[in-house]
Amino acid sequence: MKKFKTINLLIIIILAISLSLTGCKSKTENNEVLIGTEEQETEKDITIEEETTEEDSNIEEELEEEQEDDEKVESQDNKAVEEASEKSEDVNEESKAGGEAEDKLTDADEHVLKIEGNVGSEKSLKLRDLKAMENIIFKGEYYSINNFGTTRHTNFNGVNLWGLLEQEAQISSAATKVTIIAIDGYKMEFTIEQVKKQDYIDETKPEVKFPMIIAWEENGQEYDSEEGHPFKLVVGQKEAGDVNKPQWVSNIDKIIVE
Ligand SMILES: Nc1nc2c(c(=O)[nH]1)N[C@H]1C(S)=C(S)[C@@H](COP(=O)(O)O)O[C@H]1N2
Ligand SMILES: [Mo]
């Protein structure tokens, strides 16, 4: 009888142990499933972030295509990437907040366009100075082709660059080249002949001719001074097929004459 009781007890203990083990195991499995899901989500996040970083660091042409296609309907993939980059912009904006408050002290009219070098009169021109140069103001619809082959017509309002250099800065007759430098370091170099030329073309409209201009207004909207110097160099095409858009220098800081 005692032996039977012991066996019973043993069986009960074994049952109890195996029951609790089974319980543990299923709990562990549940945990593993949960952890698995979390890990998968984290992995997904990382994948999206990596894709975004790749997108971000892609060559400028892709960025410019995105910008140029921004009116187009976006695919869901693009939306995910955009959302992610919007988040990083938010972070940037937060960290820049202090600097931006200072930037606001330098309002629209405080950005200056400098003309330096081989000129009779070096200049620091404000937007309102350019707007006052009525006899050299030029408005026109320029045609552009970028490295991608994307074409576009854009309306500009600005001042004739050759007029500016001759009339305002009294450019030296010995000058041979003009370099346009943007605040981000982007620059374009032109010969005096290229700057003097007043008959750049729009390959789609044989009847119109264009000078090189420094524009402050694009498609009826002035550049936002808080986004940088509100001056852009714009030039037409030398001939049909000319990829002229890379020559358009945004946010000009200075013009150097040599
Ligand atoms: N300041 C500045 N201007 C610039 C560039 C640049 O990187 N910085 N890129 C150029 C190139 S390669 C092209 S195609 C056009 C793109 O103009 P968008 O940004 O208006 O499309 O700007 C040009 N002007
Ligand atoms: Mo470009």
Side-chain angles (χ1 to χ4, degrees):
M1 240 352 221
K2 204 184 175 188
K3 203 180 174 186
F4 190 60
K5 261 191 185 170
T6 316
I7 288 170
N8 258 353
L9 201 66
L10 257 174
I11 289 172
I12 288 167
I13 287 170
I14 287 167
L15 267 175
I17 287 172
S18 63
L19 258 177
S20 72
L21 272 181
T22 323
C24 271
K25 206 181 170 211
S26 62
K27 261 188 201 163
T28 316
E29 270 170 6
N30 276 345
N31 279 349
E32 275 170 7
V33 167
L34 275 178
I35 288 165
T37 315
E38 269 167 24
E39 270 172 5
Q40 271 173 1
E41 273 172 14
T42 318
E43 268 170 31
K44 262 189 219 156
D45 283 349
I46 288 168
T47 314
I48 289 171
E49 266 166 31
E50 276 172 358
E51 277 171 11
T52 311
T53 316
E54 267 176 37
E55 288 276 331
D56 282 348
S57 63
N58 262 342
I59 47 170
E60 64 178 60
E61 277 78 13
E62 293 201 5
L63 280 176
E64 100 203 345
E65 254 230 332
E66 264 182 44
Q67 283 164 0
E68 290 188 352
D69 294 347
D70 56 9
E71 299 108 315
K72 291 182 186 165
V73 183
E74 293 140 6
S75 73
Q76 285 198 335
D77 280 357
N78 276 345
K79 266 188 191 162
V81 168
E82 253 175 45
E83 268 163 30
S85 64
E86 261 168 27
K87 269 182 204 162
S88 67
E89 269 169 31
D90 285 349
V91 173
N92 281 346
E93 262 165 32
E94 267 165 37
S95 61
K96 279 194 316 199
E100 267 179 4
E102 279 169 34
D103 283 350
K104 272 175 190 156
L105 297 175
T106 61
D107 68 11
D109 277 336
E110 298 314 311
H111 284 298
V112 292
L113 174 70
K114 287 164 273 182
I115 305 179
E116 298 172 359
N118 204 355
V119 292
S121 169
E122 292 196 329
K123 292 279 170 187
S124 270
L125 302 164
K126 293 173 180 170
L127 183 53
R128 69 175 104 102
D129 298 325
L130 293 182
K131 286 178 178 173
M133 299 173 186
E134 286 172 24
N135 69 320
I136 54 170
I137 282 179
F138 185 88
K139 291 181 188 191
E141 192 187 40
Y142 286 72
Y143 180 72
S144 63
I145 307 182
N146 71 8
N147 321 64
F148 251 168
T150 308
T151 64
R152 180 164 291 186
H153 278 103
T154 313
N155 268 295
F156 289 101
N157 192 4
V159 69
N160 188 313
L161 177 57
W162 180 246
L164 182 67
L165 292 176
E166 237 191 351
Q167 171 181 309
E168 301 296 319
Q170 284 124 45
I171 188 168
S172 160
S173 57
T176 57
K177 72 176 187 182
V178 175
T179 307
I180 315 288
I181 306 176
I183 43 179
D184 64 353
Y186 191 81
K187 58 181 175 183
M188 287 301 308
E189 206 180 280
F190 300 98
T191 64
I192 293 298
E193 289 68 36
Q194 286 173 319
V195 179
K196 263 188 187 174
K197 186 176 161 70
Q198 302 290 306
D199 58 354
Y200 287 96
I201 65 157
D202 168 346
E203 68 178 53
T204 71
K205 294 179 185 169
E207 69 281 5
V208 283
K209 301 279 184 266
F210 305 87
M212 244 183 219
I213 61 167
I214 304 294
W216 57 78
E217 191 185 293
E218 180 167 333
N219 289 335
Q221 278 225 301
E222 283 191 15
Y223 295 121
D224 185 345
S225 289
E226 287 185 15
E227 283 173 16
H229 287 207
F231 313 113
K232 185 188 254 186
L233 177 86
V234 180
V235 59
Q237 298 174 285
K238 286 187 291 292
E239 68 272 316
D242 184 17
V243 176
N244 60 332
K245 192 147 189 203
Q247 299 182 354
W248 294 10
V249 181
S250 303
N251 308 116
I252 303 171
D253 178 30
K254 55 184 163 185
I255 299 172
I256 297 177
V257 179
E258 286 169 90

